[in-house]
Amino acid sequence: MRSSILLAAAASFAVCFAAPTADSRFELHEKRDGAPHQWSKRSRAHPDEVLPVRIGLVQSNLHKAEEYILDVSDPTSPNFGKHWSAEKVANVFAPAKKTQEGVAEWLEKSGIHGSRHSYSTGRNWIQFNATVAETERLLNTEYHYYEHDISGGYRIACDEYHLPQSVREHVDFAMPTIQLEGMRPIPNLLPKIGAQRTPQYGLTGTENCGNLVTIDCLRALYHFGQGNTSAAGNEMGIGEWADFLYLPDLPLFFKNWTTQPIPADTTPDFISIDGGQTANFTYDNSTGAGVESALDFQTSYSIIYPQKLRLYQVGDGVNIDSVGTFNIFLDALDASYCTYLGGDQPYVDPAYPDPNEGGYTGPLQCGGAPKSNVFSFSYNQIEAALPVSYQTRQCHEWMKLGLQGVSVLFASGDSGVANRYNAGYENSCLTSPDVGPYVDINGTRFSPSFPTNCPWITAVGATTIKGGVNATVSNGEEAVADPDPDDPKNDYYSGGGFSNVFALPSYQSAAVTNYLTKYNPHYPSHIYNNSGNSRAYPDVSAIGLNIPTVYLGTTYGVGGTSASTPIWGSIVTLLNEARIAAGKGPIGFLNPTFYAHPEVFNDITEGSNPGCGQPGFQAQPGWDPVTGMGTPNYPALEKLFVSLP
Ligand SMILES: *[C@@H]1O[C@H](CO)[C@@H](O)[C@H](O)[C@H]1NC(C)=O
Ligand SMILES: *[C@@H]1O[C@H](CO)[C@@H](O)[C@H](O)[C@H]1NC(C)=O
Ligand SMILES: *[C@@H]1O[C@H](CO)[C@@H](O)[C@H](O)[C@H]1NC(C)=O
Ligand SMILES: *[C@@H]1O[C@H](CO)[C@@H](O)[C@H](O)[C@H]1NC(C)=O
Ligand SMILES: *[C@@H]1O[C@H](CO)[C@@H](O)[C@H](O)[C@H]1NC(C)=O
Ligand SMILES: *[C@@H]1O[C@H](CO)[C@@H](O)[C@H](O)[C@H]1NC(C)=O
Ligand SMILES: *[C@@H]1O[C@H](CO)[C@@H](O)[C@H](O)[C@H]1NC(C)=O
Ligand SMILES: *[C@@H]1O[C@H](CO)[C@@H](O)[C@H](O)[C@H]1NC(C)=O
């Protein structure tokens, strides 16, 4: 009945518009290259099933992204530090009127009447509900049910879709289409809880740094003092994704492990995003789900106090399908990114209200969460498991935060050149490119992470003090190495490598070229993207092993780039304190200054990051894809950043 009305509408439009032949010619817009990891294709989707369709409109001026971000973050630019307002960001990138109109007209012509569409706040998404049958006609495709091999959950997806030639230039992507994976950000550190430790190993002093890297050890290594200011608005942000909940044991940590007295009742400002809860003890503590936040908050407080922390707890965590994604976090910060009615990309990002039992029943949070000057994230996803269009759109959103003076730091991953495997947190690699770059537990191709592959964030790798348990800080650092003698799939090495998606940004081009010229690892292109033209990471590194962490009342030595990232985030917070004290603004996007000033780092030249049955990459003088530019030399960093405008 409904479809006959639609057919009639389509026929009348055909008469009215007498579309030119080019207009009706469909062209392939996006295609999945093969069978997705962990999903099994089932029967054809029922034609009456209703899909929440969203069309991502091409934003204006994104081709100038690199020019804009470098203008405010390149230390030689006269506009360094002159960050943009949120309003300017929204206006400069808003889709052009002809884009909005072009897409709306195509939908009308295709029988999706204007009364059925709505726009997102930033007018960069058009959304409407349509049946599978309608959507198949609209996108010239076929939908199937896909079943998730582990959760048993299902999705409706297609393998490819088409758009009329004249519409393609206005559309980033349509959804739900080929998206299936990467629903759940994975914390980096989960299995890396080391042995139980007691404080007599050296809470103060630097006698036992090889055994447990206390705050005094970090100060001795990187030469920073105790925090001495707490400028209003410079609170540091840490994101945690449900169900990796906040269980920080802060009072015990403050009592035993900080040399500077920190009051026991010191807690972060809590910012709940889409149902994020402070703690939910219905979860089994033995899974270690609270270690991530314990490590992040304990480490950061010891460095930045008296400055405060903000906890951004994202997603309600009741179900593997409904944890918030990075997009859900970005929505809460930026109303112009948000979809109007919730769920950026159904079938990748969760739906709000959450249909799962016990899920968050409120709407998607759209803007309103405070922007922190620094965000530290110890989670990531697998580049090869997400559509390129999805990653590109989100990467631009991180760039927009940089334009507004925000420094975004992501852990580079704990699996060397491999990556985490969604279900068991063990390492996985990729199939060879002739099959398509799919996640494969037995793969031999290196597997980069998202969003560390995005050129507009700062990716943080991990080091350790050289020389084992009896080492002293004067031994210096090398790339972290924590192999699991029983199972190489649990080895921990500093995540690093070369993106298959994002191009080499100009700020790191000389550093990367230097590495590939002088220290070429000579792997063929089916092992990694050896073109020399792709974004490489990490950008920097810091200690990421044997960090004292109190978890459920006991101190452990914890490891992971999850430790290195809040250490760097805290140091950038101290740098912003120093700039603010000097009457300046926050730094914002860090990388252009970092790559232009190798002298503010301790260059790490030893160690490697094996994985995928290969030795991985080798740390070398200068930048390398294991430890980046190196670890912080705080006095040099402070001098440099305070000298910049
Ligand atoms: C789609 O349908 C759902 C469920 O009926 C409704 O809540 C939502 O507002 C609709 N969305 C649009 C864009 O019409
Ligand atoms: C504390 O104060 C001084 C200025 O008196 C500053 O240079 C120093 O680096 C500050 N912060 C830290 C973390 O040492
Ligand atoms: C934990 O989550 C469950 C399931 O959503 C919910 O019923 C319960 O109220 C939550 N508990 C706390 C302490 O937040
Ligand atoms: C988890 O640990 C917390 C804090 O020690 C405790 O209150 C809670 O009862 C524990 N939950 C379970 C299910 O063991
Ligand atoms: C990986 O290889 C092992 C050993 O050859 C095999 O038992 C396992 O089934 C393979 N796993 C997958 C997902 O192919
Ligand atoms: C560390 O020092 C202790 C005490 O001197 C010694 O017994 C131990 O063998 C040393 N361990 C290593 C790995 O060098
Ligand atoms: C390697 O990276 C470049 C630059 O991003 C990209 O154009 C190319 O497609 C990548 N190669 C492969 C095999 O993914
Ligand atoms: C804290 O220090 C006391 C005294 O040294 C010790 O008994 C206790 O085990 C420590 N607790 C933790 C969590 O480190």
Side-chain angles (χ1 to χ4, degrees), residues 570-582:
S570 301
I571 282 174
V572 176
T573 299
L574 295 181
L575 295 172
N576 280 337
E577 287 290 328
R579 278 181 59 86
I580 293 165

Side-chain angles (χ1 to χ4, degrees), residues 433 437 445 499-504 525 528-531 533-535:
R445 189 179 188 206
S499 172
N500 293 318
V501 170
F502 291 103
L504 181 68
S525 61
Y528 86 107
N529 191 328
N530 66 4
S531 65
N533 296 321
S534 69
R535 152 76 170 156

Side-chain angles (χ1 to χ4, degrees), residues 56 80 175 180 188 540:
F80 179 91
M175 57 202 199
L180 276 173
N188 291 295
V540 295

Side-chain angles (χ1 to χ4, degrees), residues 277 279-280 282 318 358:
Q277 295 167 345
N280 192 325
T282 61
V318 294

Side-chain angles (χ1 to χ4, degrees), residues 341-527:
L341 298 161
D344 295 317
Q345 213 178 42
Y347 308 97
V348 177
D349 299 314
Y352 291 98
D354 180 351
N356 292 294
E357 197 182 333
Y360 169 71
T361 52
L364 178 80
Q365 252 164 278
C366 200
K371 276 191 194 80
S372 295
N373 291 335
V374 173
F375 280 109
S376 169
F377 300 118
S378 294
Y379 296 75
N380 46 47
Q381 294 171 301
I382 301 175
E383 178 186 85
L386 292 164
V388 170
S389 54
Y390 179 88
Q391 297 183 58
T392 305
R393 200 167 172 108
Q394 190 182 112
C395 180
H396 282 135
E397 196 62 15
W398 297 117
M399 182 276 300
K400 292 179 192 172
L401 285 179
L403 277 177
Q404 295 170 74
V406 175
S407 304
V408 178
L409 298 101
F410 269 92
S412 73
D414 294 355
S415 313
V417 293
N419 214 313
R420 281 295 148 91
Y421 178 75
N422 267 349
Y425 304 107
E426 53 184 347
N427 294 342
S428 67
C429 297
L430 304 178
T431 52
S432 70
D434 39 310
V435 193
Y438 297 107
V439 182
D440 179 353
I441 199 86
N442 292 332
T444 53
R445 189 179 188 206
F446 299 170
S447 177
S449 293
F450 174 78
T452 43
N453 60 353
C454 167
W456 315 127
I457 63 93
T458 299
V460 185
T463 61
T464 184
I465 298 172
K466 282 194 269 186
V469 290
N470 294 333
T472 65
V473 292
S474 59
N475 290 11
E477 298 163 78
E478 61 188 346
V480 78
D482 190 18
D484 182 332
D486 300 324
D487 184 1
K489 286 202 166 68
N490 285 323
D491 287 353
Y492 162 37
Y493 292 101
S494 180
F498 296 78
S499 172
N500 293 318
V501 170
F502 291 103
L504 181 68
S506 60
Y507 64 76
Q508 69 168 182
S509 140
V512 171
T513 303
N514 176 68
Y515 180 83
L516 290 175
T517 308
K518 287 200 191 139
Y519 313 110
N520 196 313
H522 296 298
Y523 294 119
S525 61
H526 67 263
I527 294 293

